[in-house]
Amino acid sequence: MKRRSTTLLSLAALLAAGLTALPAVPAAAAESEQLKNGTFDSTTDPWWVSANVTAGLSGGRLCANVPGGTTNAWDAGIGQNDIALVKGESYRFSFYADTAPDGHKVRAIVGLSAAPYDTYFEVAPQLSVSGNSYAYTFTSPVDTPQGQVAFQLGGSADAWRFCLDDASLIGGVPPEVYKPDTGPRVRVNQVAYLPAGPKNATLVTDKTTKLRWQLNNANGTVAARGWTVPKGIDPSSGQNVHTIDFGSQHRPGQGFTLIADGERSRPFDIGTAAYDKLRLDAAKYYYTQRSGIAIRADLRPGYARPAGHLGTAPTGDGAVPCQPGVCDYTLDVTGGWYDAGDHGKYVVNGGIATWELLSTYERSLHARTGRPAALGDGTLAIPESGNGVPDILDEARWELDFLLKMQVPEGHPLAGMAHHKIHDEKWTGLPLLPSDDPQKRELHPPSTAATLNLAATAAQAARLYRPYDPAFAAKALQAARTAWTAALAHPDLYASANDGTGGGAYADDNVTDEFYWAAAELYLTTGEKAFETYVLNSPVHQADIFGPLGYDWARTAAAARLDLATVPSGLRDRREVRRSIVSGADRYLATLKAHPYGIPYAPDGNLYDWGSNHQILHNAVVIATAYDLTGDGKYRDGAVQSMDYLLGRNALNMSYVTGYGEVNSHNQHARWYAHQLDPKLPSPPAGTLAGGPNSSIQDPFAQGKLQGCKGQFCYIDDIQSWSTNEHTVNWNSALARLASFVADQS
Ligand code: 9MR
């Protein structure tokens, strides 16, 4: 049945009101309907219906009786297949729907009808008993003859009825132009500037000559005034910008605003409290990432959930087999942290994240401003709080125990090597609690990179846990030695870039940096000559490793270099090592000074990398370490200033840390913090870092909205944008580390 759409109604209303300015109508000939029989006048063909649903015609609609008691949205549904989608073409997807009882949701998708069942567009509107029309525009990221429109109806405890009419997918429509709401043009750190720290802001304006600015207190009185400095076009955003330096203002307070060019910034504080909290929140993130343990409501109100992936095969991690043909044993790999928004657990990424948490703690032992008690026992509200061990060590231990379980046991081929990863056989949809994951779990082949990651982190753990748990320290060191020997015997077992179904590939075919890192940690813990010699002879040791992109899970040389520079040892050329940190920091500081948004990040070709936010943090960590080494305030200020960008001084005018700043990322791609898709689920916890701008926008959602984006604009706070807006353990560790440094500067 053809219903009058709400668009037509409002157009009629406009005409009745005497308004003649009609929206531009695209040439009708270019538009073409892709769905067959969306009006259900005499039949429901060619729509399919899942076996557990009964559907038929009712009042010129297709009505479906949906059973209760299913788990996932895709456990029940109706749809149509064999729809040709054209890459780069925009489509208007529209339908009418009603429901009984009121308030049910439908997950309406356009995707692939065959494995791997990719979703190109999805919405989940809440339906009403009286019925509504819905219309959306998206751009297809692929060419396929196997497109599908589906209405997923599962996941409800109770039975319900869904009725559909006027389903339409029209190709050739003008693309929807996505324009982010960037708010006031004065861009500040929306959280806090340190009283004694640098205070900078960026003004977006067409004006090319200097302008007046003023800083207002919360009560509206003027606290400071000055002139902007015009900077021209900023390549990272394409905007014409000025900078504002109000560093002369030292008095603490809340609710300041900065006014320039007729615009008032979002409010911010001058104070230190936010960083004490951020240090803890960034580290508290890990508890709710834990696998194999129920998350307690008393420790994380709103985040309680059953333990995920306990038990055995096929869906538990208690006795996980390998992928077919890879091994003939099973391993108990329960525990550890989930990597990100998915349920995978990856040794290389878990390893670098563990190193960074451990290093946050280790820095507090050695740095001039370090305060070990700040992350000590009782600070993180975790089950182990009160056991006499610093909480940050307890949290890292949860992952370390898992990493050790990934090592191939004695008596098997490749004994001593570490399996690269363990995850689902196939990708799952969102939302999905870890405890509801129906997929088969599999171990993937051992790799040299994973083995060296294990060696490095277990060796580091051995020195840090020795005062608290000597037996664990000894076990960790033994595992590290075993891994090191195994890696030397199998130096080129690389994880395949094609092994990315059901989990991330984390492929890396250059492991000279991982060898260097493992040798460095083994040396720092044991002081043994053989490891020192390996470090000194490594081609990475003298190399210039501080390039524009920050260190990360694949580029681990900096982990070694930073520790060799800061952890006490008798390393023969330790002075040169320390000097290399300072010269890397000088370069990052020069980048920051030249950047009108004040960041130590200017990637080649302005190509923001996947997870750019943590790379910015990592470059800032190098600057912070130069301060720890030299005590020179310019490095302290550079590191502190880098935080401004993450907390709102950026082209999008948003904080990338959940719960921090007036406008902040809170829809990160996540299966169990999927509040955007299911209001009963929480958003990510406060202190969760979003990956941030990623020029390559690999996910279809971002491709539909951000095509042609420039640098800083390649980000969208939507749960579907897994390439710009995921959260992950190795990014939050960067936040924990820098937040900890900044908190120590108060
Ligand atoms: O952060 C990872 C990025 O560097 C890689 O290029 C990308 C592709 O392998 O994977 C990213 O990591 C994701 C992983 O594959 C799966 N879990 C979520 C991770 C963050 O998006």
Side-chain angles (χ1 to χ4, degrees):
M1 179 198 280
K2 191 82 197 138
R3 281 161 213 280
R4 273 200 308 179
S5 78
T6 44
T7 326
L8 286 176
L9 280 176
S10 56
L11 201 57
L14 275 177
L15 289 170
L19 300 174
T20 48
L22 293 177
V25 181
E31 299 193 357
S32 62
E33 178 61 71
Q34 306 298 310
L35 287 184
K36 297 194 179 84
N37 185 30
T39 50
F40 308 108
D41 293 327
S42 56
T43 172
T44 60
D45 289 343
W47 291 79
W48 53 258
V49 175
S50 65
N52 54 355
V53 166
T54 44
L57 294 178
S58 172
R61 303 164 296 166
L62 181 159
C63 288
N65 291 317
V66 187
T70 59
T71 310
N72 306 299
W74 53 88
D75 291 342
I78 62 177
Q80 191 173 126
N81 291 354
D82 303 324
I83 299 165
L85 296 172
V86 179
K87 184 173 176 165
E89 181 155 317
S90 295
Y91 294 81
R92 183 160 52 244
F93 177 36
S94 61
F95 55 91
Y96 160 93
D98 62 67
T99 178
D102 203 23
H104 269 281
K105 277 190 158 189
V106 62
R107 180 173 184 237
I109 67 146
V110 182
L112 188 62
S113 64
Y117 302 102
D118 290 335
T119 304
Y120 308 128
F121 177 77
E122 77 168 271
V123 281
Q126 188 162 17
L127 308 175
S128 76
V129 75
S130 53
N132 284 302
S133 294
Y134 302 86
Y136 311 90
T137 303
F138 76 100
T139 303
S140 175
V142 293
D143 277 317
T144 176
Q146 288 185 295
Q148 175 189 74
V149 163
F151 295 88
Q152 298 183 347
L153 308 170
S156 166
D158 304 315
W160 61 296
R161 185 172 158 90
F162 168 78
C163 295
L164 175 69
D165 204 357
D166 296 339
S168 166
L169 183 71
I170 296 182
V173 304
E176 192 184 319
V177 181
Y178 170 74
K179 206 168 169 294
D181 177 4
T182 53
R185 289 181 287 105
V186 185
R187 304 294 157 75
V188 297
N189 174 333
Q190 294 172 27
V191 178
Y193 294 89
L194 292 184
K199 296 174 194 70
N200 296 280
T202 302
L203 168 71
V204 180
T205 177
D206 292 338
K207 315 258 171 34
T208 49
T209 52
K210 69 178 182 179
L211 298 167
R212 284 191 174 281
W213 61 259
Q214 82 183 42
L215 176 71
N216 278 15
N217 290 322
N219 64 15
T221 57
V222 180
R225 291 178 202 279
W227 292 95
T228 66
V229 179
K231 291 284 178 180
I233 302 290
D234 159 39
S236 75
S237 64
Q239 300 163 323
N240 188 61
V241 291
H242 297 196
T243 54
I244 295 170
D245 183 345
F246 59 107
S248 57
Q249 174 71 18
H250 297 297
R251 193 165 313 148
Q254 293 180 328
F256 288 97
T257 52
L258 193 59
I259 298 160
D261 199 21
E263 298 262 319
R264 179 190 295 271
S265 75
R266 293 189 170 132
F268 57 89
D269 295 349
I270 295 179
T272 58
Y275 294 101
D276 292 331
K277 184 170 179 301
L278 183 58
R279 165 184 4 226
L280 296 178
D281 282 345
K284 281 172 142 178
Y285 159 91
Y286 291 88
Y287 173 50
T288 45
Q289 286 297 112
R290 287 191 191 184
S291 175
I293 187 173
I295 304 305
R296 281 166 46 184
D298 60 325
L299 298 177
R300 289 296 182 282
Y303 289 88
R305 59 170 173 81
H309 302 97
L310 271 182
T312 50
T315 58
D317 289 351
V320 181
C322 283
Q323 289 176 300
V326 169
C327 74
D328 57 6
Y329 50 85
T330 63
L331 289 184
D332 172 358
V333 289
T334 48
W337 302 313
Y338 296 115
D339 187 54
D342 61 326
H343 299 143
K345 302 191 289 193
Y346 312 87
V347 169
V348 290
N349 211 46
I352 193 82
T354 303
W355 165 79
E356 196 148 42
L357 286 194
L358 293 179
S359 291
T360 300
Y361 174 71
E362 195 159 32
R363 174 190 168 273
S364 77
L365 302 178
H366 305 305
R368 67 190 68 227
T369 55
R371 284 191 277 143
L375 289 164
D377 191 24
T379 53
L380 298 181
I382 54 177
E384 299 81 9
S385 293
N387 67 357
V389 179
D391 277 2
I392 192 159
L393 292 186
D394 281 325
E395 191 54 67
R397 172 83 180 262
W398 190 261
E399 179 72 4
L400 280 160
D401 284 336
F402 159 74
L403 295 176
L404 298 186
K405 292 178 186 176
M406 291 291 278
Q407 201 165 19
V408 179
E410 263 318 290
H412 294 291
L414 300 177
M417 299 289 283
H419 286 272
H420 198 66
K421 53 183 189 163
I422 178 252
H423 59 69
D424 292 345
E425 186 186 25
K426 299 196 180 104
W427 284 109
T428 54
L430 279 66
L432 186 66
L433 284 182
S435 48
D436 291 338
D437 180 4
Q439 280 290 327
K440 184 176 163 198
R441 307 281 279 177
E442 289 176 332
L443 286 167
H444 291 241
S447 71
T448 310
T451 304
L452 291 165
N453 240 273
L454 188 151
T457 48
Q460 181 189 20
R463 61 178 183 265
L464 292 172
Y465 291 79
R466 205 174 280 146
Y468 300 102
D469 187 343
F472 173 67
K475 176 182 165 186
L477 185 55
Q478 190 48 51
R481 289 183 189 278
T482 304
W484 173 256
T485 309
L488 286 175
H490 306 282
D492 52 7
L493 280 186
Y494 303 129
S496 163
N498 296 324
D499 188 10
T501 303
Y506 284 114
D508 184 2
D509 59 6
N510 179 354
V511 294
T512 48
D513 49 339
E514 279 81 6
F515 269 109
Y516 176 58
W517 178 30
E521 299 297 350
L522 279 158
Y523 167 68
L524 290 171
T525 296
T526 66
E528 288 171 16
K529 191 89 199 141
F531 296 121
E532 182 184 29
T533 304
Y534 193 97
V535 165
L536 295 172
N537 292 338
S538 163
V540 182
H541 190 51
Q542 307 282 341
D544 177 3
I545 58 170
F546 297 112
L549 298 181
Y551 60 88
D552 67 9
W553 62 267
R555 289 183 299 267
T556 61
R561 196 75 72 75
L562 290 167
D563 284 2
L564 290 171
T566 55
V567 177
S569 79
L571 185 71
R572 205 177 65 211
D573 63 354
R574 192 152 177 268
R575 281 165 69 116
E576 283 75 56
V577 168
R578 291 161 77 95
R579 223 175 280 141
S580 78
I581 305 287
V582 176
S583 76
D586 284 336
R587 198 177 311 152
Y588 291 140
L589 204 52
T591 301
L592 177 149
K593 290 232 158 85
H595 200 298
Y597 278 99
I599 43 172
Y601 191 69
D604 292 343
N606 196 33
L607 286 179
Y608 274 55
D609 200 16
W610 195 323
S612 63
N613 280 344
H614 95 299
Q615 297 186 324
I616 292 168
L617 284 162
H618 278 170
N619 291 349
V621 164
V622 176
I623 302 176
T625 306
Y627 172 71
D628 289 341
L629 294 174
T630 65
D632 186 335
K634 71 180 180 190
Y635 300 118
R636 188 198 71 137
D637 285 357
V640 168
Q641 186 180 330
S642 305
M643 202 58 122
D644 297 343
Y645 168 90
L646 277 308
L647 297 176
R649 185 192 175 195
N650 54 53
L652 290 172
N653 197 4
M654 65 185 301
S655 159
Y656 290 110
V657 181
T658 309
Y660 284 77
E662 190 177 89
V663 174
N664 60 64
S665 302
H666 55 277
N667 292 317
Q668 286 94 329
H669 181 77
R671 280 172 178 68
W672 59 102
Y673 312 126
H675 183 77
Q676 192 186 343
L677 300 176
D678 179 352
K680 293 193 293 297
L681 292 171
S683 296
T688 300
L689 179 73
N694 171 3
S695 298
S696 304
I697 50 171
Q698 288 89 343
D699 68 84
F701 187 87
Q703 286 164 4
K705 300 273 184 196
L706 305 175
Q707 216 53 256
C709 59
K710 189 166 278 183
Q712 289 197 50
F713 282 105
C714 301
Y715 171 81
I716 187 163
D717 183 28
D718 191 286
I719 195 162
Q720 300 304 347
S721 183
W722 43 260
S723 71
T724 78
N725 197 33
E726 195 156 356
H727 66 90
T728 170
V729 291
N730 66 315
W731 301 342
N732 243 74
S733 60
L735 181 64
R737 175 134 187 193
L738 195 72
S740 197
F741 175 86
V742 175
D744 282 343
Q745 308 314 313
S746 53

